Amino acid sequence: MYGVEASFWLKLLLLASVYFVLITSFNAIMRRWLGVEKRKAFSHNHINDKHRKIDWTIRIIFIVVMVTGGFVNAAMIPREPYQFLKPWFLLVVLVFLSEIIRAVMEKRYAKNPNAYIFTICQSAFILALVILLFATDFWGIV
């Protein structure tokens, strides 16, 4: 491939593996410490019907904003596009907004009173890792 050094994919795989191990370990420790059940991976895990409706409303709004933002940024081609309308930024906002809504719903409706604490701690840890990743320029890989 042009423009990519030979060890790039190996470094990227190592970086992703380290972050996966960190997040998995943190989740396991916090779940055990707070006595929270493990959620199914890649499922919605809504607390109740109200949570499901709010979550899907937020997702639909973000899809509309992403499409609109794509058109707006494409129209700005000679100039610098808006950073807050870029898909990666919108996805990060979507994930953390969804987690905030989940924490609020868990605080109000969950059977386990520690579930919302786990959600907040997990979100804060992942946010710290993402900030660290960008602040270090992907640990020099990019």
Side-chain angles (χ1 to χ4, degrees):
M1 285 191 223
Y2 300 104
V4 177
E5 62 184 73
S7 63
F8 171 78
W9 294 109
L10 182 62
K11 289 179 183 177
L12 185 63
L13 180 64
L14 178 65
L15 179 70
S17 299
V18 167
Y19 271 66
F20 177 76
V21 167
L22 284 172
I23 291 170
T24 304
S25 300
F26 179 82
N27 287 346
I29 291 168
M30 290 301 291
R31 267 195 331 271
R32 183 168 298 157
W33 186 49
L34 294 171
V36 177
E37 290 182 16
K38 185 176 181 178
R39 297 183 201 147
K40 292 180 182 178
F42 304 111
S43 66
H44 296 294
N45 295 321
H46 294 112
I47 306 304
N48 57 22
D49 195 47
K50 183 177 182 180
H51 180 215
R52 184 184 57 78
K53 288 176 184 176
I54 292 171
D55 189 51
W56 278 104
T57 302
I58 290 171
R59 289 170 192 244
I60 291 169
I61 289 170
F62 267 87
I63 289 170
V64 170
V65 170
M66 281 184 134
V67 171
T68 306
F71 286 122
V72 169
N73 278 343
M76 297 187 62
I77 290 293
R79 297 179 306 228
E80 186 67 25
Y82 294 120
Q83 295 295 322
F84 65 89
L85 290 177
K86 288 191 173 183
W88 65 267
F89 181 80
L90 291 173
L91 284 174
V92 169
V93 172
L94 171 64
V95 167
F96 285 102
L97 184 60
S98 293
E99 291 302 307
I100 289 169
I101 298 297
R102 170 181 293 287
V104 169
M105 290 295 169
E106 286 174 341
K107 172 77 172 154
R108 291 183 181 171
Y109 303 110
K111 295 174 186 171
N112 187 341
N114 291 332
Y116 82 99
I117 296 171
F118 172 74
T119 301
I120 292 170
C121 291
Q122 178 188 36
S123 298
F125 184 72
I126 292 173
L127 181 62
L129 287 179
V130 168
I131 290 171
L132 184 64
L133 191 66
F134 281 100
T136 60
D137 200 22
F138 290 82
W139 298 102
I141 289 178
V142 213

